[in-house]
Amino acid sequence: MLNIISVAFLVLIAGDFLKRSESALHLLQLEGYDLKKYNNWLKNNSGKLMSLGKLIEPDKSPLVYTERAIRLKKTHFIVNIIMCFILFVIGYLLRNSFLYFLIVIIYVFMYMMEPYIMNITANINAPKEKAINLGFYKTAQEKISSMNNLKVVGITGSYGKTSTKFITSTILKEKYKVQDTPSSYNTPMGLSRVINEELTDDKEIFVAEMGAYVKGEIKEVADLVQPDIGIITSIGPAHLESFGSIDNIIKTKYEIIEALDKDGIAIFNYDDENLKTIADETKLKKYYYGFNDVEKLDVYAKDISVNSRGSEFVLVIKATGEIKCKTKMLGRHNIGNILAGCTVGHILGLTLEEIATGVSKIEPVEHRLNIIDPGTGVIIIDDGFNSNPSGAKAALEVLNEFKTGRKFVVTPGMIELGELEFEENKKFGKLMGEVADFVFLVGKKRTLPIFEGLKETNISMDNVYPVDSLDEATQIFGKLLQSGDVILFENDLPDNYNEED
């Protein structure tokens, strides 16, 4: 009788078992199929592993069944079937009711350990995935090499690279046929896909964003796209946890410059103190852009006017002259990103008038300081994709430009800043307290440093709401908002950063 009950129980929970498997696959996908990052998540979320149900709530980034995900799911299913089959065979051969009960216990243990079994699955598939990826990579590399008339602009940096990519692409389209990488495609496989599937023979410029989490990754991407022009936008503590030190970040970002041949051109944000030394030591032809040290800059902005609806400035290119520019982009930091694009435009032969026209056509990048006016009288600033100290400060500066109405901030704080995470989030809290009237901290444990920073300001702590979720925050501020108010959504962590219950 016991073995019949046991079998019936196993059949009943089979559906939940599959959901648990899918949740583990989703988590692995969110971590970019990086087993080191995936295992680190498992280590830091042991409480979730021992709970029933899904590991994450896929509200923001649903599982995408790419070919790789489908291969993993099939292999994972086979691994689970083999393990379960072995257990049933043992139980059947011994015909022991107690053993059937023990098998149920082991089955439940397997359910709890599904994330670790997914690790086994990923390792089984790793050689095949590596071979597939290498094939895509080599095909893309050969295609780039064969396009003799194509100029490649590579962009990297701790912050600002995605915005700079779209800005540069928009400006260059005033004269050239341009292909850029969509969204935040900045890995070897992401770039290989764009090159293989979207880069056509008629394109004259390819603008490629290059991302990295560890040393050597920029070199891998640069070896793929073979840049003629390399831009470093910034150096900061983004992903410091994986890099280990600022020095490692500098060396990694500089790999884009080392990948340039003797005729290549390097472009540096000379306002970044971490870039000045390596910029000055660079022997290639180079250009500096920024706001300060204008005597050393090749491209800079003056007479800057920034407001809640955009920016105006005078663009100065020392070699050709100056021109007034107007943009919908918000914040002084985005003018810096525009200067990088203007520098590329100058290098590739655009006139001042063409550059200024291109600047006027730049649209804000989605989830990066977008102004949304839904017609309710409440203005929304969507800065959901920024999670670094520089971007957070810039967002607060933009919020402060609104002179009427109350100011709200909703944020889960900044992550992946390593040993600087507490300090930088506390600074964020201090800056926030000088600007905001109401603050909603999503994730009570994670946002504790921000809370501590807020306590050192003049903000009324009665207006600070530590909450467990964005839904909870929405329910509260939905009752508080009035016509004329402005609400900033600063950073929006992916589902795998949900706090443990």
Side-chain angles (χ1 to χ4, degrees):
M1 184 64 180
L2 184 59
N3 53 9
I4 296 175
I5 295 173
S6 300
V7 172
F9 173 77
L10 297 180
V11 172
L12 284 172
I13 69 170
D16 283 337
F17 206 107
L18 292 174
K19 290 179 182 178
R20 181 82 162 183
S21 300
E22 188 176 75
S23 190
L25 174 58
H26 188 189
L27 175 62
L28 181 60
Q29 188 178 81
L30 286 173
E31 295 293 4
Y33 301 104
D34 186 323
L35 281 177
K36 183 177 180 181
K37 293 169 66 179
Y38 176 79
N39 288 326
N40 189 53
W41 187 95
L42 298 181
K43 178 182 177 182
N44 294 330
N45 291 272
S46 56
K48 288 185 179 181
L49 300 181
M50 301 311 295
S51 62
L52 300 177
K54 297 177 182 178
L55 298 165
I56 54 176
E57 293 297 329
D59 296 330
K60 306 162 192 161
S61 304
L63 174 62
V64 180
Y65 276 104
T66 61
E67 292 182 5
R68 181 171 187 173
I70 292 171
R71 289 192 295 268
L72 274 167
K73 185 174 183 178
K74 288 179 179 178
T75 303
H76 190 67
F77 181 76
I78 292 170
V79 169
N80 275 318
I81 288 295
I82 291 173
M83 294 175 71
C84 292
F85 180 74
I86 291 171
L87 289 176
F88 276 110
V89 168
I90 293 172
Y92 176 77
L93 292 175
L94 296 179
R95 290 178 176 80
N96 184 300
S97 293
F98 175 75
L99 187 59
Y100 269 108
F101 179 72
L102 184 61
I103 287 172
V104 171
I105 300 300
I106 295 173
Y107 194 84
V108 172
F109 179 75
M110 284 175 57
Y111 173 85
M112 307 298 286
M113 293 296 105
E114 270 298 282
Y116 292 102
I117 299 174
M118 181 59 71
N119 191 325
I120 295 171
T121 301
N123 278 294
I124 291 172
N125 275 24
K128 182 177 182 179
E129 296 300 334
K130 184 176 181 180
I132 291 171
N133 290 345
L134 184 60
F136 288 143
Y137 182 96
K138 286 186 174 180
T139 300
Q141 191 177 50
E142 290 169 2
K143 183 176 180 178
I144 284 280
S145 297
S146 69
M147 299 178 72
N148 296 324
N149 296 323
L150 183 74
K151 290 288 185 182
V152 179
V153 180
I155 302 170
T156 192
S158 297
Y159 324 123
K161 52 186 177 289
T162 301
S163 295
T164 301
K165 171 185 64 182
F166 289 124
I167 288 166
T168 302
S169 178
T170 301
I171 292 172
L172 293 179
K173 284 176 182 176
E174 290 302 303
K175 184 172 182 177
Y176 298 104
K177 294 179 180 179
V178 182
Q179 175 69 56
D180 57 32
T181 50
S183 187
S184 292
Y185 275 52
N186 57 27
T187 64
M189 287 307 97
L191 285 165
S192 294
R193 181 176 178 180
V194 174
I195 293 167
N196 289 329
E197 298 178 5
E198 299 182 32
L199 184 60
T200 53
D201 291 337
D202 64 321
K203 293 297 191 297
E204 300 168 288
I205 309 288
F206 180 43
V207 184
E209 176 184 346
M210 302 181 183
Y213 286 90
V214 294
K215 289 174 65 177
E217 288 188 338
I218 295 296
K219 182 182 186 305
E220 184 180 4
V221 183
D223 287 346
L224 169 65
V225 304
Q226 305 155 55
D228 300 287
I229 298 172
I231 305 172
I232 305 181
T233 62
S234 59
I235 298 293
H239 310 308
L240 181 61
E241 189 173 20
S242 57
F243 279 110
S245 69
I246 291 292
D247 188 54
N248 284 340
I249 295 174
I250 294 171
K251 290 177 180 177
T252 302
K253 301 305 181 185
Y254 195 72
E255 289 168 5
I256 191 175
I257 307 303
E258 293 173 329
L260 300 171
D261 63 25
K262 60 182 178 63
D263 297 320
I265 299 174
I267 300 175
F268 297 96
N269 173 8
Y270 205 69
D271 283 349
D272 192 310
E273 293 298 326
N274 289 313
L275 283 175
K276 285 186 176 181
T277 299
I278 60 170
D280 288 340
E281 292 175 352
T282 298
K283 303 302 181 184
L284 296 170
K285 186 174 183 179
K286 57 196 175 185
Y287 287 81
Y288 297 159
Y289 70 89
F291 301 103
N292 308 313
D293 297 331
V294 293
E295 67 280 356
K296 296 195 71 171
L297 299 178
D298 300 286
V299 179
Y300 64 92
K302 67 178 184 179
D303 301 335
I304 298 167
S305 173
V306 178
N307 58 50
S308 61
R309 297 296 178 178
S311 310
E312 294 183 9
F313 62 95
V314 173
L315 169 67
V316 180
I317 300 178
K318 285 184 177 177
T320 56
E322 59 184 58
I323 192 169
K324 189 170 184 178
C325 295
K326 188 173 182 178
T327 176
K328 300 173 188 175
M329 298 288 279
L330 297 169
R332 184 181 174 92
H333 72 298
N334 268 324
I335 297 178
N337 296 332
I338 289 171
L339 291 176
C342 293
T343 304
V344 178
H346 165 66
I347 292 169
L348 294 179
L350 272 71
T351 65
L352 284 171
E353 290 72 22
E354 287 172 329
I355 291 172
T357 300
V359 170
S360 70
K361 294 179 181 178
I362 297 168
E363 294 291 336
V365 181
E366 189 176 16
H367 305 305
R368 288 175 169 87
L369 280 179
N370 281 26
I371 295 291
I372 301 172
D373 187 350
T376 61
V378 176
I379 300 298
I380 299 169
I381 305 176
D382 176 7
D383 201 36
F385 280 7
N386 266 327
S387 81
N388 61 77
S390 176
K393 180 181 178 182
L396 291 174
E397 289 173 352
V398 170
L399 180 63
N400 200 40
E401 289 295 331
F402 287 83
K403 304 306 181 184
T404 60
R406 299 172 302 170
K407 300 176 179 65
F408 291 65
V409 177
V410 182
T411 183
M414 299 176 287
I415 58 170
E416 295 185 337
L417 300 181
E419 60 186 18
L420 298 179
E421 191 161 298
F422 187 96
E423 177 187 344
E424 291 294 341
N425 275 295
K426 186 174 181 179
K427 288 180 182 176
F428 183 28
K430 289 181 180 179
L431 291 172
M432 200 183 304
E434 299 300 325
V435 175
D437 300 297
F438 293 86
V439 173
F440 293 82
L441 303 176
V442 183
K444 294 176 182 177
K445 289 190 295 184
R446 185 175 49 244
T447 58
L448 184 59
I450 301 177
F451 188 82
E452 293 299 316
L454 286 164
K455 289 197 310 190
E456 296 182 17
T457 69
N458 294 324
I459 191 171
S460 170
M461 296 307 291
D462 290 338
N463 292 345
V464 176
Y465 296 86
V467 295
D468 292 319
S469 67
L470 181 58
D471 285 342
E472 184 182 349
T474 303
Q475 290 175 10
I476 300 171
F477 68 65
K479 299 175 182 177
L480 295 173
L481 286 169
Q482 303 171 359
S483 180
D485 290 342
V486 185
I487 183 165
L488 165 67
F489 290 90
E490 181 61 25
N491 198 12
D492 182 17
L493 298 184
D495 300 289
N496 45 319
Y497 280 98
N498 290 344
E499 290 189 322
E500 292 185 32
D501 295 333

